[in-house]
């Protein structure tokens, strides 16, 4: 999956800020993707009108035949991305909890477990409870990250 295809679920999951889309478009052009809207988007600055950026981004995806996923699929990709980020050491357990900002639907047992453990975090968690929560979250993340090899039910955002 290339970065432009990968960005579609990030956009729907609201983890890709609109101000990053012009640079994403420029990189996609360098990667060999091309469309009129993509070229126009790549010429905008980070401070351009957000609605214009969004409109050109969606138009570029349409021109390149890259579908935007539904919210459930995007949310599931977000869960997988967070699990992989934690397993690889790119995210801390708190980062994972903080990035669950949208309503996420879990379909598999592993997704449900990861989501429920992540949702248990709050700023009022005691210092005594924190290590156990972090351990539980790491176990759930590893289980979710490895579940993609066991069947077609889970999405795979390994190339984020």
């Amino acid at each position: 999956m290339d970065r432009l295809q990968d960005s579609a679920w990030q956009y729907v999951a609201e983890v890709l800020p609109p101000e990053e889309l012009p640079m994403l478009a420029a990189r996609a052009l360098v990667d060999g993707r091309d469309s009129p809207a993509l070229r126009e988007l790549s010429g905008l600055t980070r401070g351009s009108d957000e609605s214009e950026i969004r409109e050109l981004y969606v138009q570029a995806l349409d021109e390149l035949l890259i579908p935007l996923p539904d919210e459930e699929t995007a949310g599931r990709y977000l869960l997988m991305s967070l699990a992989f980020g934690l397993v690889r050491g790119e995210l801390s357990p708190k980062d994972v909890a903080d990035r669950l900002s949208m309503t996420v639907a879990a379909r598999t047992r592993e997704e449900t477990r990861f989501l429920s453990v992540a949702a248990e975090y709050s700023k009022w968690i005691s210092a005594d409870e924190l290590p156990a929560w972090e351990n539980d979250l790491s176990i759930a993340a590893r289980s979710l990250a490895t579940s993609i090899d066991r069947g077609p039910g889970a999405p795979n955002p390994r190339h984020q």
Side-chain angles (χ1 to χ4, degrees), residues 80-125:
M80 291 298 296
S81 174
L82 294 173
F84 277 112
L86 184 62
V87 168
R88 287 183 262 185
E90 298 164 356
L91 297 173
S92 72
K94 185 177 180 320
D95 291 334
V96 170
D98 289 346
R99 292 181 187 191
L100 286 176
S101 60
M102 65 174 285
T103 303
V104 177
R107 188 179 292 170
T108 67
R109 184 182 78 232
E110 293 85 4
E111 290 170 354
T112 302
R113 177 70 181 139
F114 181 72
L115 180 58
S116 66
V117 173
E120 291 173 3
Y121 178 81
S122 81
K123 63 183 178 182
W124 296 286
I125 196 167

Side-chain angles (χ1 to χ4, degrees), residues 1 6 9 73 75-85 87-88 107-112 114 139-160:
M1 184 182 306
D6 201 38
W9 75 262
T73 301
R76 294 180 71 214
Y77 270 86
L78 175 61
L79 284 177
M80 291 298 296
S81 174
L82 294 173
F84 277 112
V87 168
R88 287 183 262 185
R107 188 179 292 170
T108 67
R109 184 182 78 232
E110 293 85 4
E111 290 170 354
T112 302
F114 181 72
I139 291 168
R142 282 192 301 276
S143 176
L144 179 55
T146 59
S147 73
I148 62 162
D149 296 327
R150 291 189 292 205
N156 181 359
R158 286 183 186 209
H159 304 287
Q160 177 186 1

Side-chain angles (χ1 to χ4, degrees), residues 86 93-94 117 125 129-139:
L86 184 62
K94 185 177 180 320
V117 173
I125 196 167
E129 297 170 320
L130 192 58
W133 173 79
E134 289 176 343
N135 185 58
D136 289 347
L137 187 62
S138 292
I139 291 168

